[in-house]
């Protein structure tokens, strides 16, 4: 069994740099888990601790139930794919892939079998006698994968493997990796800073910031119920719109101010918990895809209509991004391709306040009713 | 905003181009000029009928000698002394010959490179007109040292360097029974006596005290005491005749354990002079001033000198010669007049005695015992010039050949080291003969 | 505004295609270039090319530098090859001394580079400096110091060895043929180890850390990492070091000269005891500038050139072939 258990994992670089703290995570066998977060959040450090390339300062790491803190990398039954591929420049592709097996004194015939099979799966058979410098980025990536695959490990660790590829290749490799995961039926622990990769590939996503876990959840839950403003802003593209304001109340109900307009919360959401924040400053979060400029929506969400003018409009082909501005406040809206709004226009947009998020302006935690699972 | 080319810029362009061209040419010509201007040493001093005489030397006392000569004889010359380092002397001569620049009228030929220089055939034969040297005026043992392979006298020894054996008085007293020179000489009439006494010294001192500090010295003295040339007249190697005897005696001494193995002129050897464990040292005329006194500054009154068994030997020396291509006929003649005054006249001999504490080449003074009266050297408590005079009476020297450098600098040191390594003399000589033929490609056998 | 600049851009190429005006830059620039290059080219010609040709010419003559040259055809070369044992001896000496010193220097340099490029090593910089310092010492000083250290009777080395009872009686380091070569080799190793170490360290620093991480995961222990990863990836630097050592070795001059011919070393032939340390350069120098056989010296120097060229060529071929495997 290759479930991975991290309990209270801590990493401190002397004298006083704490890279990771209070890290608790249970990964079941065969899962595809993604660690995601901005640069420097500690995700790679965690991966390297699982691999055994970094010493674990505190806490317990278990793989398959065995305590692995002091076990050297080669005995942990893991394989790693690096961001820069880390291929051995002086060895052929074949040797790169067979190196670890040679070190273990696996019989030659078996080595040949495994390498050729992995090469076949990854479609690099005709490259076996080339050296890394004669390969393209994508080919090198696949060799790195192959090198990991032949070891038939219990866990695959992948450190931003797609970062160095161009956008098109990245997209196709994403699907390749997902298919590979299904085929190999092995645990994948994947580190990335790209939330798109995380959302598309991960079964379970761990969002990290500054060495701490922010939220562990499925992609959909992270999207629907971020537990704090950071997660909310990190997931979703374009990024969620944030507005600081005061939660006010009048005869029509709770609302917030956007320039001279008021946007009201729908009746279903107005509840007791808002009393606690009445009159207090809050942070409002609205996803661009929840802002509409078409007639039907203006009607539907009539309680939350604002006027703004379009500073910039980006035509993406399948949709249009409108960058709105009013009296110093900015808003990004993602609308359908049929929109007539263009740069310079004064428009009216409606916000689906039912999907809006509220956060405490100080600790940034999501306020109740839209909270995600506890971390 | 766009940058506009102003009218002002356009006007300056041709000016700039000419300016940089001029700068370029200036830099180029300065370089060429500077490189042409080097190397011509000192300029001639005035020329109002006086002849310019140039001397190259590494010892400024030679310049003083010329000045003394000018005072004494008042010749109509402009004298110029050019300091040239001894190590570069031959190279500089060669460069001057090839480049055709001014050679010195008076050139110094030290013993080390004398053979080569004399063999080049670039010095004047001083016996022929207009020089008219009379070789009977030169002390006998010095004549072979001034003669080239064709029998011409091409220079006169300025600082003859006959050598004796210097000894430390207390050691001599303790281990040899006396420190009186004539008594010592009667005890050490032959080298066999020397070796026998040496063995006694070794026993008495329990192996601590040696007769000689280095094999090099002992071998040099011994091999210098015969006059066999290194190469016969018909160009064949005569090494064995010249060296074998000396090497055999040296080996005897070494095997008897009476010779220490310090390297000649190394720091250890220098220290031994005041160390009190070695009795005898080779001692040519220049050793007391240049070697013994500096290394044993406290040794006043502790030294003596005797004539070695087998007679004196020659060690070093500097010759003044006149390059044939130097200056003009007149300058060369003037150079000769100086050399003759200094080395072959009584006035010069007196000057040398008074200023250099040494004897010149002038034969008559060697039979004048009173010439060096009263010159007692405090270190030796003896009248050194007189002692060397006495030693000079039976010094043997061998003719100079162009192979001297090879033999003295390459072959003999190899021989010394071979003796130290315990090889037999026959082996050593065979090896040296072979090397000699390799190094001197034009030997005929 | 935009239209004006577009017009300018169109016009200019047409101007260039017409006959060049007097003040046009390309023509004048060539003329100036010759002035600026002339001094350097003159220097190269006079001090480099001409001497090489001149040397070749005088290698067929007998010349002592003072008198006229005598043309003697290939006599010099004949004597060199067939009669003078010193040519092959000097070649042998040079090869032996290189064989003694180059491999040891390289291995030591590798060891030092490996140890001293590791991470938290106490006083690492200080040790690096210490190993490198001998390289910047002048050969004169090195020769003299080693002559003193290895002196048979008063040298420190013999005293220590006897004190530790490794030897019974003092060894004639400078007096025995083979010991002299070993002493010289030790001096060379001491001098050049630091330099090679620096080169190897810079080579090592170019190997990315990721490769080492991958190797750890693949299961390589320290020894395997060194021999199967570090060393192969250092190949370029190693080739460079070996070839330059070979070339430098053939030009060995200062150290043997000063080890055996300084004022502190006692009397030896120019190449040490039995000419055991007579390298080809020393041989050339002795013949030309001490014995004034410039013609013979010229012949020697051309033979040196041939030997060095051959060896460089061969060793590069060997190294290259290894690459293709």
């Amino acid at each position: 069994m290759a479930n991975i258990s991290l309990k209270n994992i801590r990493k401190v670089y002397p004298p006083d740099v704490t890279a990771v703290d209070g890290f608790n995570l249970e990964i079941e066998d065969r899962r595809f888990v993604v660690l995601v977060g901005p640069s420097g959040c500690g995700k790679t450090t965690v991966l390297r601790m699982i691999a055994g390339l970094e010493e674990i300062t505190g806490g317990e790491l278990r793989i398959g139930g065995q305590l692995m803190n002091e076990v050297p990398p080669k005995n942990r039954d893991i394989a790693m794919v690096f961001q820069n591929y880390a291929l051995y420049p002086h060895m052929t592709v074949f040797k790169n892939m067979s190196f670890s097996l040679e070190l273990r004194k696996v019989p030659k015939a078996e080595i040949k079998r495994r390498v050729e099979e992995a090469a076949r799966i990854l479609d690099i058979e005709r490259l076996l006698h080339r050296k890394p410098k004669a390969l393209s980025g994508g080919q090198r990536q696949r060799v790195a994968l192959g090198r990991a695959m032949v070891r038939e490990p219990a866990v695959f660790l992948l450190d931003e493997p797609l970062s160095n590829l161009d956008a098109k290749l990245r997209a196709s490799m994403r699907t390749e990796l997902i298919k590979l995961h299904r085929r190999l039926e092995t645990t994948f622990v994947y580190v990335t800073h790209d939330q798109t990769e995380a959302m598309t590939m991960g079964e379970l996503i761990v969002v990290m910031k500054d060495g701490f876990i922010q939220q562990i959840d499925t992609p959909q839950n992270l999207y629907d119920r971020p537990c704090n403003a950071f997660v909310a802003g990190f997931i979703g593209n374009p990024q969620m719109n944030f507005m600081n304001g005061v939660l006010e109340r009048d005869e029509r109900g709770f609302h917030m101010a956007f320039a001279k307009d008021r946007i009201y919360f729908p009746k279903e959401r107005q509840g007791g918990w808002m009393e606690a924040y009445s009159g207090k400053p809050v942070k409002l979060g609205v996803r661009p895809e929840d802002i509409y400029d078409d007639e039907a929506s203006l009607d539907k969400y009539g309680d939350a209509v604002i006027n703004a003018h379009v500073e910039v409009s980006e035509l993406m082909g399948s949709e249009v991004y409108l960058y709105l501005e009013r009296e110093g406040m900015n808003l990004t809206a993602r609308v359908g391709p049929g929109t007539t709004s263009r740069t310079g226009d004064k428009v009216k947009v409606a916000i689906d306040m039912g999907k809006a998020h509220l956060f405490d302006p100080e600790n940034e935690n999501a306020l109740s009713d839209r909270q995600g699972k506890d971390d | 905003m766009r940058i506009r080319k102003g009218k002002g810029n356009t006007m300056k362009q041709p000016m700039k181009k000419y300016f940089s061209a001029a700068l370029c040419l200036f830099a180029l010509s300065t370089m060429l000029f500077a490189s042409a201007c080097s190397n011509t040493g000192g300029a001639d001093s005035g020329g109002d009928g006086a002849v310019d005489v140039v001397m190259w030397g590494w010892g400024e006392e030679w310049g003083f000698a010329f000045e003394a000569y000018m005072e004494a004889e008042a010749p109509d010359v402009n004298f110029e002394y050019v300091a040239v380092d001894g190590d570069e002397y031959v190279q500089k001569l060669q460069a001057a010959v090839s480049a055709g620049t001014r050679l010195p009228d008076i050139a110094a030929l030290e013993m080390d490179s004398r053979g080569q220089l004399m063999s080049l055939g670039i010095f004047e034969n001083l016996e022929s007109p207009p020089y008219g040297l009379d070789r009977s005026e030169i002390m006998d043992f010095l004549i072979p040292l001034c003669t080239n392979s064709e029998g011409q006298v091409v220079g006169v020894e300025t600082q003859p360097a006959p050598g004796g054996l210097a000894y430390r008085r207390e050691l001599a007293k303790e281990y040899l029974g006396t420190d009186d020179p004539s008594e010592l000489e009667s005890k050490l009439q032959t080298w066999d006596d020397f070796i026998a006494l040496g063995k006694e010294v070794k026993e008495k001192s329990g192996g601590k005290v040696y007769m000689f500090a280095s094999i090099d010295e002992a071998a040099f003295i011994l091999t210098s005491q015969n006059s066999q040339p290194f190469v016969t007249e018909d160009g064949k190697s005569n090494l064995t005749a010249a060296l074998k005897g000396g090497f055999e005696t040296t080996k005897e001494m070494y095997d008897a354990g009476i010779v220490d193995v310090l390297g000649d002129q190394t720091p250890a050897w220098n220290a031994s002079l005041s160390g009190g464990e070695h009795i005898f040292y080779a001692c040519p005329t220049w050793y007391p001033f240049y070697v013994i006194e500096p290394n044993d500054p406290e040794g006043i009154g502790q030294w003596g000198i005797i004539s070695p068994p087998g007679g004196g030997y020659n060690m070093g020396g500097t010759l003044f010669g006149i390059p044939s291509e130097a200056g003009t006929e007149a300058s060369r003649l003037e150079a000769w007049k100086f050399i003759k005054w200094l080395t072959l006249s009584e006035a010069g001999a007196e000057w040398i005695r008074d200023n250099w504490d040494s004897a010149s080449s002038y034969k008559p003074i060697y039979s004048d015992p009173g010439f060096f009266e009263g010159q007692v050297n405090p270190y030796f408590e003896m009248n050194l010039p007189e002692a060397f005079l006495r030693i000079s009476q039976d010094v043997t020297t061998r003719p100079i050949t162009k192979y001297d450098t090879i033999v003295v600098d390459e072959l003999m040191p190899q021989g010394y080291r071979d003796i130290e390594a315990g090889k037999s003399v026959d082996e050593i000589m065979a090896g040296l003969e072979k090397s000699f033929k390799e190094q001197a490609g034009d030997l005929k056998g | 505004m935009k239209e004006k600049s577009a017009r300018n851009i169109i016009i200019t190429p047409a101007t260039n295609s017409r006959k060049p005006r007097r003040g046009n830059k390309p023509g004048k620039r060539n003329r100036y270039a010759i002035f600026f290059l002339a001094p350097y080219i003159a220097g190269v010609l006079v001090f480099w090319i001409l001497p090489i040709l001149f040397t070749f010419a005088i290698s067929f003559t007998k010349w002592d530098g003072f008198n006229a040259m005598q043309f003697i055809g290939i006599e010099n070369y004949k004597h060199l090859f067939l009669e003078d044992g010193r040519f092959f001896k000097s070649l042998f000496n040079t090869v032996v001394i290189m064989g003694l010193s180059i491999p040891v220097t390289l291995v030591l340099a590798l060891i030092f580079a490996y140890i001293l490029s590791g991470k938290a090593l106490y006083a690492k910089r200080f040790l690096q400096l210490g190993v490198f310092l001998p390289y910047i010492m002048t050969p004169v000083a090195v020769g003299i110091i080693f002559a003193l250290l290895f002196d048979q009777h008063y040298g420190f080395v013999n005293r220590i060895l006897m004190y530790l009872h490794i030897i019974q009686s003092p060894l004639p380091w400078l007096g025995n043929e083979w010991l002299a070569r070993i002493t010289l080799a030790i001096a060379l190793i001491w001098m050049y180890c630091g330099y090679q170490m620096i080169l190897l360290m810079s080579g090592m620093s170019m190997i990315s850390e990721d490769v080492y991480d991958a190797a750890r995961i693949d299961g390589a222990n320290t020894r395997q990492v060194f021999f199967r990863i570090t060393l192969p990836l250092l190949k370029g630097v190693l080739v460079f070091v070996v070839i330059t050592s070979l070339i430098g070795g053939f030009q060995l001059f200062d150290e043997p000269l000063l080890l055996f011919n300084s004022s502190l070393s006692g009397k030896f032939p120019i190449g040490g005891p039995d000419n055991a340390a007579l390298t080809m350069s020393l041989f050339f120098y002795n013949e030309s500038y001490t014995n004034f056989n410039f013609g013979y010296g010229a012949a020697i120097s051309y033979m040196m050139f041939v030997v060095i060229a051959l060896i460089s060529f061969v060793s590069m071929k060997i190294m290259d072939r290894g690459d293709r495997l």
Side-chain angles (χ1 to χ4, degrees), chain A residues 219-234:
Chain A
Q220 195 59 48
N221 278 345
L222 281 175
Y223 181 84
D224 290 335
R225 283 184 266 273
C227 75
N228 62 26
F230 172 75
V231 177
F234 192 77

Side-chain angles (χ1 to χ4, degrees), chain A residues 75-324:
Chain A
N75 295 334
R76 294 194 186 191
D77 203 13
I78 48 119
M80 190 150 165
V81 179
F82 294 85
Q83 182 177 4
N84 293 316
Y85 325 127
L87 298 179
Y88 304 118
H90 58 293
M91 297 188 196
T92 60
V93 167
F94 189 97
K95 280 230 55 185
N96 260 285
M97 290 170 68
S98 66
F99 188 59
S100 60
L101 300 176
E102 269 181 51
L103 289 174
R104 264 160 232 266
K105 308 220 176 21
V106 172
K108 278 217 173 105
E110 173 71 6
I111 294 182
K112 194 163 181 308
R113 184 188 70 75
R114 287 204 207 179
V115 171
E116 283 178 356
E117 173 161 0
R120 197 174 42 80
I121 295 176
L122 295 167
D123 195 21
I124 50 174
E125 275 171 300
R126 53 190 177 78
L127 302 175
L128 282 175
H129 293 291
R130 287 206 207 167
K131 291 222 177 120
K133 61 183 181 237
L135 302 174
S136 73
Q139 291 167 330
R140 287 185 208 175
Q141 184 51 274
R142 275 183 264 168
V143 174
L145 272 171
R147 180 170 65 177
M149 277 166 65
V150 298
R151 299 192 39 190
E152 295 176 0
V155 182
F156 277 93
L157 303 171
L158 300 102
D159 186 1
E160 306 204 41
L162 305 183
S163 312
N164 287 2
L165 303 176
D166 64 77
K168 269 225 187 98
L169 203 49
R170 222 182 293 159
S172 66
M173 283 302 293
R174 278 207 312 259
T175 27
E176 296 283 329
L177 279 173
I178 297 172
K179 285 196 241 172
L180 197 64
H181 171 246
R182 244 181 280 147
R183 182 186 185 139
L184 295 177
E185 292 188 342
T186 317
T187 313
F188 269 45
V189 181
Y190 190 101
V191 160
T192 179
H193 65 273
D194 184 324
Q195 57 97 33
T196 318
E197 275 177 31
M199 295 289 278
T200 52
M201 298 167 83
E203 290 171 350
L204 192 70
I205 302 182
V206 180
V207 180
M208 291 181 70
K209 177 179 177 223
D210 292 339
F212 289 95
I213 296 182
Q214 304 295 307
Q215 186 169 358
I216 306 178
D217 219 327
T218 64
Q220 195 59 48
N221 278 345
L222 281 175
Y223 181 84
D224 290 335
R225 283 184 266 273
C227 75
N228 62 26
F230 172 75
V231 177
F234 192 77
I235 305 285
N237 195 38
Q239 200 193 23
M240 179 186 281
N241 293 293
F242 287 107
M243 281 175 279
N244 284 311
V246 178
L247 183 65
E248 293 178 29
R249 182 196 211 163
D250 67 7
E251 348 50 81
R252 278 164 69 185
F254 284 100
H255 65 270
M256 289 185 65
F258 182 86
K260 298 207 170 51
D261 301 311
R262 294 185 183 180
I263 41 181
Y264 287 86
F265 287 93
K267 300 223 173 30
E268 315 82 74
R269 289 195 66 183
Q270 310 222 7
W273 68 273
M274 285 194 180
E275 304 280 344
Y277 286 90
S278 176
K280 296 219 175 84
V282 291
K283 194 187 198 88
L284 179 71
V286 177
R287 293 204 185 273
E289 45 271 29
D290 297 330
I291 305 179
Y292 304 89
D293 76 336
D294 59 285
E295 289 295 327
S297 309
L298 284 170
D299 218 23
K300 189 170 168 196
Y301 303 113
D303 272 347
V305 173
I306 57 175
N307 296 289
H309 97 271
V310 182
E311 266 194 318
V312 179
S313 64
E314 285 177 354
L315 287 77
M316 306 299 281
S318 54
E319 52 204 3
V320 173
Y321 295 165
L322 298 172
Y323 295 91
L324 306 166

Side-chain angles (χ1 to χ4, degrees), chain A residues 90, chain C residues 106-107 110-111 114 200 204 207 212 223-239:
Chain A
H90 58 293
Chain C
L106 197 54
V107 168
L110 256 179
I111 293 176
Y114 188 70
L200 288 170
M204 281 182 179
I207 304 173
Y212 286 120
R223 196 175 54 81
Q224 286 163 327
V225 167
F226 184 74
F227 282 104
R228 299 179 73 161
I229 299 193
T230 312
L231 224 43
L233 289 176
L234 279 178
K235 187 152 178 233
V237 178
L238 285 172
V239 167

